[in-house]
Amino acid sequence: MINTYKPLAPNNTLLTLLMFIAMSLSYAQEQYVASDIPPELLKNANSVMRLRQTTVDIPTIEKMIITEKQVITVLNKSGNKHVEACSYYDDYTKIRKVEVTYLDADGKELRNYKKRDFVDASAVDGGTLYSDNRMLCGYYTPSEYPYTVIFETEVETQNTAGIPSLYPVVDYLSSTEQLQFDINYGPDASLKLKHFNEQDVIAFESRQGGYSFSLNNFKAIFPEAYGPSRGDFVPYIIFGLESFYLAGVKGNAKDWNSFGAWMDTYLLDGTSQIPDKTKQEVKQLVAGETTNRGKAKKVYEYMQDRTRYISVQLGLGGWKPMPAAEVDDLGYGDCKALTNYTKSLLEAVDVPSYYTVVNAGNTQNGILSEFTSMQGNHVILAVPEDDDYMWLECTSQSAPFDFNGSFTDNREVLLVTPEGGKIVTTTHYAPEDNYQINKGTLEVKADGSIVAQITMKSGGLQYDNKAGIEVLTAEKQDLRYKDYWDYINNISINSIELTDNRDMIEYTEEVTFEASSYTSAAGKDLILNVNAFNRRTFIPKRYRERQLGVKIIRGYKDYDEIEIKLPEGYTLEEVPTPKEVDSPYGIYKSSITKKDESTLIYTREYITLEGTFPKEKYADYRSFRRQITKNDNQKIILKSL
């Protein structure tokens, strides 16, 4: 039988209409009208992630393709920081596609950038001397709010050491309407993952060669004073490969021992050679020392005197340190290079030390020891001593020997040894270690003015807060102390003497000042606030419905002993009852005693205790702080004779 079917001739009008409808439907889907955002996602939000769709394909351990589409509506100026329309690349990473579209509140297009329109810039700050990390950015300055950003990227990389993690929100004060995360892997890629802070809000589906995750309507988190960090309570998932590639080198992350051995072999091997002249210098330097501590201290200070910190992000994905010989010649390096250089100097005098990877920062978030992967943002040096370690911060020219400070204290870190990796914890400073001892005199005049002299000695993490004041200009020092005693009106700083004792890790401040109208009059009598030097005036914010628990990260101890000289013709008739507060959050004691009829002794001890407490205890904690403030504001009446 003959087939008599003939295709219809194209109808140009019909085709045009169909194309217009298709384009209109597509455009309608992309409008993202701001008024369509569910009201519950607007609460506490400066931005809303309308859609975050991520697909990670790992066909082999040498290749990863990341495709992502982010649609975020910025509600106000504060939400601008939640937008990063940038895609990153280097010698091992190629940007296949990048496009960004900006829409107004009604979803109408304001601006569109194709790849050719993006700005190509360095991906590191101006403090970095060398780096092969770059980025393409589609910058836009909004004139009205709200507006929406549609950012689409596709990146192919040969580095599979760092797989994107799944976080439900981009930051505090940002909510997420829809999140979809898919990860696919080939037969030779041994993928592992770990959930943290599970709350059954992330839907999970496992399949052959991959996983799918989804989440809807995750509300914005309002940051609360003395709350835990986001990583302590927000659910998230991290991923890794047991075998991976980094800048063309195969790595092993089966466990920390294997991972540390890989780092020692591929990151540190061949980088420790230093010139014979330098070896002889450090050997002569430590000739009189009989202990590893004494040798290590002299070598550390030698390194500090002849090097300075400059960021250099090159070599094996920015993880491999530049050779020690280059640091010796140039006199600078980044944390990796300076740490490795110090390690090499110590090797020359037969002192063992270990290159150590750390998550540095004030929050004490350490290496996630239960999940072996590329982690950390900083490197320090560990020198073994008995069953403990001496810790060296090699990027600072002024840091004391064997002192962590709040940048690296009390957290799990990865020691890289020839035998493999080892997770240990850096120094934990107890409250009595973080001391400030104040001793001084307060001379009260009959006209209400005061003349004051104070010596403040600070150690531990309180030393960390003070070190560096001596390098400020005289004007800035003056302003600093006026700000420190901002509760004293009409203050005039007369003298400042500062001593940084790096051997004892103690900072001494000797300050004299005077102030008019410090006391107030009550007829012929004077009302005196006895705590002129160390007064707590801040009371934590009250929350109608506290959402987060309480976390006091570090403990401190303050002790004050002040001699108060009364003006001639005045006396203290009644000595006040000592003040005392004892709670899980801290201990406070203060008292006033008579040395003689014209001299009082004011003593005060305040210990802040670290700890984690449920949100229901925040009111108690706030009440404790309010009581401290009240006691520090104690006044006495000096009777006129």
Side-chain angles (χ1 to χ4, degrees):
M1 186 173 68
I2 300 173
N3 187 350
T4 59
Y5 170 76
K6 294 182 180 179
L8 293 173
N11 185 316
N12 291 336
T13 303
L14 179 61
L15 282 175
T16 301
L17 179 61
L18 290 173
M19 289 175 64
F20 176 77
I21 292 172
M23 291 174 64
S24 298
L25 288 172
S26 174
Y27 180 71
Q29 292 171 356
E30 294 289 303
Q31 278 193 318
Y32 292 104
V33 179
S35 60
D36 291 341
I37 298 173
E40 64 269 21
L41 298 184
L42 298 174
K43 185 179 180 181
N44 296 327
N46 293 326
S47 70
V48 179
M49 183 67 74
R50 313 292 294 278
L51 173 68
R52 185 165 192 168
Q53 191 171 37
T54 305
T55 301
V56 180
D57 293 307
I58 311 173
T60 72
I61 62 173
E62 301 175 66
K63 183 179 180 180
M64 179 166 61
I65 301 168
I66 305 167
T67 306
E68 187 162 48
K69 179 178 181 179
Q70 294 184 33
V71 183
I72 186 166
T73 296
V74 179
L75 304 174
N76 52 51
K77 187 176 181 180
S78 297
N80 286 330
K81 67 179 182 179
H82 298 153
V83 175
E84 187 185 29
C86 295
S87 188
Y88 297 85
Y89 71 97
D90 55 32
D91 292 342
Y92 297 90
T93 302
K94 178 183 178 182
I95 300 174
R96 286 180 168 184
K97 172 190 175 182
V98 61
E99 182 177 356
V100 63
T101 303
Y102 293 89
L103 311 176
D104 68 10
D106 297 322
K108 295 179 181 179
E109 183 177 309
L110 295 169
R111 189 73 180 269
N112 174 265
Y113 295 92
K114 302 294 185 184
K115 185 177 180 180
R116 63 180 179 273
D117 304 315
F118 278 64
V119 175
D120 192 332
S122 173
V124 293
D125 59 32
T128 300
L129 184 62
Y130 300 122
S131 175
D132 53 8
N133 298 314
R134 299 193 65 78
M135 61 185 180
L136 295 179
C137 294
Y139 297 112
Y140 174 77
T141 303
S143 58
E144 293 183 354
Y145 298 90
Y147 70 95
T148 297
V149 185
I150 303 174
F151 184 53
E152 299 177 84
T153 62
E154 184 176 318
V155 174
E156 180 180 328
T157 180
Q158 299 173 44
N159 292 332
T160 56
I163 300 173
S165 301
L166 189 164
Y167 280 85
V169 289
V170 297
D171 200 352
Y172 286 107
L173 305 176
S174 180
S175 57
T176 298
E177 187 172 358
Q178 182 182 358
L179 181 149
Q180 180 68 40
F181 190 103
D182 297 288
I183 187 164
N184 310 300
Y185 56 95
D188 71 331
S190 181
L191 183 76
K192 55 186 179 179
L193 59 87
K194 184 168 180 60
H195 294 249
F196 290 86
N197 309 318
E198 290 186 80
Q199 299 175 11
D200 295 326
V201 298
I202 302 175
F204 175 92
E205 180 184 332
S206 175
R207 61 180 185 278
Q208 183 66 33
Y211 299 91
S212 291
F213 307 88
S214 61
L215 173 146
N216 293 296
N217 296 334
F218 194 91
K219 298 177 183 177
I221 302 167
F222 186 81
E224 295 175 334
Y226 301 97
S229 62
R230 277 188 301 144
D232 290 339
F233 65 92
V234 172
Y236 65 97
I237 305 172
I238 60 176
F239 306 89
L241 297 178
E242 289 193 358
S243 295
F244 60 86
Y245 267 80
L246 178 67
V249 176
K250 187 177 181 180
N252 187 335
K254 184 177 181 180
D255 52 47
W256 285 117
N257 185 67
S258 302
F259 185 74
W262 172 80
M263 291 187 75
D264 186 68
T265 300
Y266 288 97
L267 297 186
L268 303 183
D269 189 49
T271 65
S272 62
Q273 294 300 314
I274 54 176
D276 289 338
K277 179 183 177 183
T278 302
K279 288 182 182 180
Q280 293 306 315
E281 281 185 8
V282 292
K283 285 180 179 180
Q284 292 175 8
L285 182 69
V286 304
E289 297 294 338
T290 59
T291 65
N292 280 358
R293 171 172 282 271
K295 293 177 182 178
K297 185 174 185 296
K298 283 194 171 180
V299 168
Y300 177 66
E301 291 172 349
Y302 170 87
M303 179 277 300
Q304 287 181 305
D305 289 341
R306 69 196 314 265
T307 64
R308 57 194 172 95
Y309 171 81
I310 290 180
S311 178
V312 181
Q313 300 183 32
L314 292 173
L316 207 59
W319 283 78
K320 188 178 181 70
M322 62 190 284
E326 290 188 25
V327 178
D328 189 79
D329 178 50
L330 298 172
Y332 60 72
D334 60 10
C335 65
K336 305 182 297 296
L338 295 176
T339 298
N340 183 61
Y341 178 59
T342 309
K343 181 177 182 294
S344 302
L345 294 173
L346 290 171
E347 285 178 6
V349 295
D350 300 319
V351 175
S353 62
Y354 304 122
Y355 190 87
T356 303
V357 181
V358 58
N359 264 329
N362 190 59
T363 58
Q364 293 183 342
N365 291 328
I367 297 291
L368 299 171
S369 58
E370 60 268 54
F371 192 83
T372 306
S373 63
M374 272 286 190
Q375 298 182 43
N377 59 10
H378 188 53
V379 174
I380 56 178
L381 194 65
V383 180
E385 183 180 44
D386 299 326
D387 295 329
D388 204 352
Y389 299 93
M390 298 174 272
W391 298 102
L392 310 186
E393 172 53 72
C394 300
T395 61
S396 172
Q397 294 172 292
S398 59
F401 173 78
D402 190 18
F403 180 64
N404 281 120
S406 59
F407 196 53
T408 57
D409 71 314
N410 194 29
R411 68 202 72 194
E412 289 190 308
V413 297
L414 172 66
L415 257 62
V416 178
T417 78
E419 295 76 32
K422 182 180 179 182
I423 299 292
V424 301
T425 303
T426 56
T427 305
H428 170 247
Y429 296 95
E432 56 268 23
D433 298 322
N434 305 323
Y435 64 84
Q436 177 178 282
I437 300 173
N438 292 347
K439 292 192 176 182
T441 60
L442 183 70
E443 184 179 354
V444 184
K445 304 290 188 179
D447 62 1
S449 65
I450 55 172
V451 176
Q453 179 277 326
I454 185 71
T455 298
M456 300 182 281
K457 293 183 179 293
S458 302
L461 298 180
Q462 297 224 54
Y463 166 92
D464 201 24
N465 295 335
K466 305 292 184 68
I469 301 175
E470 73 280 0
V471 302
L472 299 177
T473 64
E475 182 182 5
K476 287 185 177 180
Q477 289 179 4
D478 184 85
L479 290 173
R480 184 190 187 281
Y481 287 104
K482 286 179 178 177
D483 183 64
Y484 183 72
W485 291 305
D486 62 355
Y487 48 81
I488 300 178
N489 296 322
N490 310 311
I491 187 171
S492 176
I493 308 296
N494 294 333
S495 67
I496 301 171
E497 291 187 23
L498 305 169
T499 304
D500 183 358
N501 189 328
R502 291 162 58 186
D503 292 330
M504 291 184 62
I505 313 181
E506 184 174 80
Y507 201 88
T508 302
E509 305 161 87
E510 297 179 84
V511 184
T512 63
F513 65 84
E514 56 189 68
S516 60
S517 305
Y518 179 78
T519 66
S520 55
K524 294 183 179 180
D525 301 332
L526 296 178
I527 300 174
L528 172 70
N529 190 317
V530 294
N531 186 354
F533 296 107
N534 197 6
R535 196 185 308 171
R536 297 296 177 102
T537 60
F538 174 74
I539 299 174
K541 182 180 178 180
R542 179 179 178 273
Y543 298 96
R544 184 171 298 176
E545 294 182 14
R546 177 79 179 190
Q547 299 298 314
L548 305 178
V550 178
K551 188 171 184 177
I552 305 171
I553 299 177
R554 299 175 179 88
Y556 299 90
K557 179 179 180 179
D558 284 6
Y559 178 77
D560 300 77
E561 186 177 306
I562 308 300
E563 185 176 277
I564 302 174
K565 298 179 180 180
L566 305 184
E568 186 177 349
Y570 288 85
T571 188
L572 177 66
E573 291 185 346
E574 184 177 350
V575 176
T577 303
K579 309 291 184 182
E580 187 167 345
V581 184
D582 194 341
S583 85
Y585 320 109
I587 300 167
Y588 180 96
K589 298 176 183 178
S590 68
S591 65
I592 300 170
T593 57
K594 277 189 175 184
K595 182 178 180 180
D596 53 47
E597 286 304 313
S598 62
T599 310
L600 308 177
I601 303 297
Y602 170 70
T603 60
R604 172 187 181 272
E605 182 179 77
Y606 177 31
I607 301 173
T608 302
L609 300 176
E610 64 186 61
T612 302
F613 309 92
K615 64 181 182 181
E616 292 78 14
K617 292 293 184 180
Y618 181 73
D620 290 343
Y621 173 66
R622 187 171 178 271
S623 177
F624 166 74
R625 292 291 299 273
R626 188 168 55 243
Q627 184 63 49
I628 301 305
T629 300
K630 179 181 177 182
N631 290 344
D632 272 358
N633 201 38
Q634 180 183 11
K635 297 179 177 66
I636 58 174
I637 297 177
L638 303 181
K639 288 288 186 179
S640 175
L641 297 177

